[in-house]
Amino acid sequence: MRTAAPGWLPEAAPDVLFKEARRRQRRRWLAAGAAVAAVLGAAAGVAAGVAGHPRPQAAAQASAAVPAASNGCIGQPPVSPLPAWARSGFTPPDLAMPHVMGAAGNIVAILWAPRDALHAPPLQDRTNKILWVSRITSAAPNLVIKATLAGSARTATVSVPGGPGPSIIDLPASGCWTLHLSWSGHTDELKLRYVA
């Protein structure tokens, strides 16, 4: 019996092609799951190493007073448990997720990939999905995002109907974007990196 080169199928019935597509999709999901597990394992190892070293009391108090802000343009976003106020719907509640916290600590952008989660232009097989979770619970008509590309005068304005929640945020170019966020009289700012 002859074997075909990987990725090549002779004229096959649609059900055979469909099964092949599902098999390939499963492989991609397994590879992505393995990558996420590796990142989470590495993060846990680093956290365990850091936990073993005592911190001076003044430094611990200072870090507790200031919200944990992340610059999503420096490398990859942290993959760690979400703030307690942003965990609703996640099982287990301390599930590590890639996310970027607003500078004021009022909002968090939860991303759906540990590496290169956002693309400009968007990929054909994956969206630029961001789940926005506000620390402040209030009915917001819209979340307004005014984005500025670093090192340029390029800007973009996006509105998320219904306020913070699930969204797809496509920006016009790759690079580091500063997002000025406003909803229900509240504001925050964070940086997100879009890759080509």
Side-chain angles (χ1 to χ4, degrees), residues 53-63:
H53 299 286
R55 295 189 327 177
Q57 186 174 4
Q61 289 173 345
S63 67

Side-chain angles (χ1 to χ4, degrees), residues 125-142:
D125 62 342
R126 192 171 84 194
T127 61
N128 290 323
K129 184 176 179 180
I130 301 174
L131 175 59
W132 301 98
V133 180
S134 171
R135 171 182 276 210
I136 304 137
T137 55
S138 63
N142 293 316

Side-chain angles (χ1 to χ4, degrees), residues 51-182:
H53 299 286
R55 295 189 327 177
Q57 186 174 4
Q61 289 173 345
S63 67
V66 178
S70 296
N71 180 343
C73 290
I74 299 175
Q76 301 299 328
V79 178
S80 60
L82 298 168
W85 50 266
R87 295 179 181 179
S88 179
F90 287 91
T91 305
D94 61 348
L95 178 69
M97 292 291 295
H99 64 281
V100 178
M101 182 81 110
N106 293 328
I107 199 163
V108 64
I110 302 171
L111 308 175
W112 299 97
R115 295 193 52 79
D116 300 333
L118 305 170
H119 292 264
L123 299 177
Q124 290 182 350
D125 62 342
R126 192 171 84 194
T127 61
N128 290 323
K129 184 176 179 180
I130 301 174
L131 175 59
W132 301 98
V133 180
S134 171
R135 171 182 276 210
I136 304 137
T137 55
S138 63
N142 293 316
L143 168 65
V144 178
I145 303 168
K146 294 182 179 178
T148 305
L149 181 61
S152 77
R154 193 161 197 181
T155 62
T157 301
V158 180
S159 182
V160 178
S167 67
I168 296 173
I169 306 297
D170 293 331
L171 293 177
S174 60
C176 179
W177 287 86
T178 300
L179 281 64
H180 304 277
L181 310 159
S182 61

